[in-house]
Amino acid sequence: VVPDSIGWENCKARLGPEGLKFFRKSKDLNFESKLFSSLLELVTLEIIGVEDASHHHHHIRFCADMMFSGHTYVCSIFALGLYDLL
C-alpha cells in the first residue's frame, strides 16, 4: 500500500462512493495468492470503470497515483531515451 500525499479523507473523496464500494467488495484483489485474477480485475476496472447509482460506468482516479502518472511516465521515457543516446 502506497500512502497518498493528500490524505485519506481526500483519497476517499477522489475515489467516490462507487470506487470505495468496488475496493471494499473485491475479495479477489490479492496479488500474492491470486495474481492473474487480480490483474484481470484491475484491467477490467481500467477499461470499463465502476458503475454508479444511475447504472452509468465511469473511470476512477486512484489514490497515490503520482508515481505512476502520465507526467512521470513521459519524463522517465525521455530520460531513458537521453541515456540511450549518450
Side-chain angles (χ1 to χ4, degrees), residues 15-84:
L15 286 173
E18 295 85 14
L20 287 171
K21 181 180 172 184
F22 171 82
F23 287 111
R24 286 180 177 152
K25 77 170 181 70
S26 180
K27 303 295 182 204
D28 289 333
L29 205 57
N30 184 342
F31 287 96
E32 291 180 11
S33 63
K34 300 177 180 179
L35 176 66
F36 293 111
S37 64
S38 297
L39 286 174
L40 179 63
E41 194 165 347
L42 282 183
V43 167
T44 304
L45 176 65
E46 276 294 309
I47 293 172
I48 297 174
V50 293
E51 187 175 359
D52 61 12
S54 61
H55 302 293
H56 292 100
H57 287 86
H58 63 88
H59 297 283
I60 60 172
R61 284 194 56 207
F62 295 104
C63 297
D65 63 349
M66 294 307 294
M67 290 192 309
F68 316 110
S69 70
H71 294 101
T72 306
Y73 173 76
V74 170
C75 288
S76 300
I77 294 296
F78 185 73
L80 285 172
L82 284 176
Y83 176 77
D84 189 39

